[in-house]
């Protein structure tokens, strides 16, 4: 019998500085690429919304990241899967940026470079990572009645000034769904079958439901995210949706360019997460902190 390979892993809580809050992510450290089935089996075993696999490439002088859901779907885009992977590598003291220009740091995901900015919290020394997403592309609007039925709302629950459900994309296309207030937001009961049908019909992934916060709140919106088409019933923090949302809010004059805002997510799941976002002229910044909650070994 051949000897089994041992791989180290961390479980991090992403978009949080407190364990058991935020969005849990397993990060597995490898020496290179694995077989597709191995990635999928490990992601299924962990059971988190996503599992990231990382290694440092001497040739590319960059951290390589691949991420999978429990049903074996490989993730595109810069979300908590990428932010947590970078934080995990930095907390492990991997020299992922030593050979890069300080003003041009990046990681590789599915053969594409994704720019990142890193600073360290002065109190905890935890890394705070900002991912540079593409500028928000506003696509088609979705009939409000279809969204209302699928999420268990009345049509009037989704009527907020000029905001209506709209597909927006930075890395991944998601539908932004305005909800009248946080109470309604946290009462909604999605019908996953209907959500999947809408996603297929209009060619996007998830539904980012949000309620505009009061002016005295620290965050601009509270949000919930549903993405059953890739096996995620509800996500506590979603970077690939937070970027499109701040772009959408800026274009509709609910937010200003070049100003940092916070999005609160995961309250309904008792995993509150804070996502820092900023819409700029040429890109969208999405960032936050991560904390290691578990570490261990797995065998293949």
């Amino acid at each position: 019998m051949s000897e089994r390979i041992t791989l180290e892993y961390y479980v991090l809580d992403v978009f949080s500085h407190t364990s058991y809050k935020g969005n849990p992510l397993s990060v597995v450290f490898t020496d290179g690429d694995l077989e597709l089935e191995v990635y999928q089996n490990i992601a299924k075993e962990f059971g988190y919304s996503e599992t990231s696999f990382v290694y440092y490439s001497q040739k590319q002088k960059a951290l390589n990241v691949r991420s999978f859901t429990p049903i074996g779907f490989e993730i595109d885009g810069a979300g908590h899967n990428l932010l947590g992977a970078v934080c995990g590598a930095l907390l492990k003291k991997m020299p992922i940026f030593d050979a890069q220009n300080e003003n041009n740091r990046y990681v590789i995901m599915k053969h594409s470079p994704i720019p990142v900015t890193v600073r360290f919290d002065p109190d905890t020394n935890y890394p705070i990572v900002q991912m540079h997403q593409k500028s928000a592309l506003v696509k088609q609007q979705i009939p409000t009645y279809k969204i209302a039925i699928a999420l268990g709302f009345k049509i009037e629950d989704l009527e907020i000034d000029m905001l209506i459900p709209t597909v927006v994309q930075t890395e991944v296309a998601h539908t932004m769904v305005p909800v009248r207030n946080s109470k309604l937001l946290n009462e909604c009961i999605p019908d996953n079958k209907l959500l999947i049908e809408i996603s297929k019909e209009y060619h996007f992934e998830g539904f980012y439901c949000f309620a505009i916060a009061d002016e005295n709140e620290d965050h601009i919106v509270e949000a919930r995210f549903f993405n059953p088409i890739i096996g995620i019933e509800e996500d506590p923090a979603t970077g690939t949706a937070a970027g499109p949302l701040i772009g959408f809010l800026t274009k509709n004059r609910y937010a200003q360019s070049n100003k940092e805002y916070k999005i609160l997510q995961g309250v309904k799941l008792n995993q509150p997460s804070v996502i820092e976002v900023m819409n700029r002229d040429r890109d969208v910044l999405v960032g936050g902190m991560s904390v290691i909650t578990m570490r261990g070994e797995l065998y293949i």
Side-chain angles (χ1 to χ4, degrees), residues 4 58 60 63 85 90 108 119 128 210 239 243 253 297:
R4 302 175 75 188
Q58 295 285 352
Q60 295 171 307
L63 186 74
L90 291 170
I108 304 293
R119 67 183 192 274
I128 301 171
F210 67 93
R253 300 185 180 181
E297 295 178 343

Side-chain angles (χ1 to χ4, degrees), residues 18-218:
T18 305
S19 288
Y20 308 109
K21 303 297 181 183
N23 199 351
L25 174 77
S26 40
V27 177
V28 181
F29 301 96
T30 75
D31 293 326
D33 290 323
L34 304 175
E35 296 292 331
L36 178 61
E37 185 178 9
V38 175
Y39 289 126
Q40 294 171 330
N41 286 341
I42 294 172
K44 181 175 65 176
E45 190 77 11
F46 275 113
Y48 296 122
S49 61
E50 293 163 26
T51 292
S52 291
F53 300 82
V54 304
Y55 71 91
Y56 181 76
S57 168
Q58 295 285 352
K59 181 179 179 180
Q60 295 171 307
K61 296 181 173 57
L63 186 74
N64 277 248
V65 182
R66 294 184 71 176
S67 303
F68 292 82
T69 71
I71 65 171
F73 184 89
E74 185 165 9
I75 297 294
D76 286 314
H80 91 283
N81 58 304
L82 185 69
L83 188 147
V86 175
C87 286
L90 291 170
L91 290 167
K92 189 174 165 59
K93 307 298 184 184
M94 293 174 64
I96 60 174
F97 298 127
D98 285 8
Q100 295 182 6
N101 186 305
E102 186 176 352
N103 298 316
N104 185 30
R105 290 175 169 171
Y106 61 92
V107 298
I108 304 293
M109 189 166 191
K110 294 184 71 174
H111 310 295
S112 297
I114 297 180
V116 296
T117 304
V118 178
R119 67 183 192 274
F120 291 85
D121 183 88
D123 297 321
T124 64
N125 205 36
Y126 291 158
I128 301 171
V129 176
Q130 289 179 310
M131 303 170 291
H132 297 235
Q133 297 182 358
K134 301 179 182 71
S135 294
L137 175 63
V138 177
K139 298 182 147 182
Q140 74 266 42
Q141 297 174 346
I142 309 297
T144 302
Y145 77 91
K146 289 190 175 184
I147 300 286
I149 293 171
L151 291 170
F153 287 122
K154 299 175 182 177
I155 291 178
E156 55 265 31
D157 295 337
L158 305 183
E159 293 177 344
I160 303 175
D161 296 332
M162 299 300 293
L163 299 178
I164 61 175
T166 304
V167 179
V168 186
Q169 180 175 357
T170 54
E171 305 294 319
V172 181
H174 300 301
T175 290
M176 308 295 108
V177 183
V179 182
R180 188 169 295 277
N181 56 54
S182 293
K183 183 177 183 294
L184 288 169
L185 176 72
N186 287 300
E187 289 176 349
C188 88
I189 302 175
D191 182 321
N192 287 340
K193 182 179 178 181
L194 291 179
L195 293 182
I196 290 172
E197 289 176 0
I198 296 171
S199 291
K200 289 181 177 178
E201 181 179 358
Y202 292 94
H203 308 291
F204 67 91
E205 279 194 14
F207 299 76
Y208 207 36
C209 304
F210 67 93
I212 302 293
D214 294 333
E215 290 185 2
N216 61 342
E217 299 283 358
D218 188 41

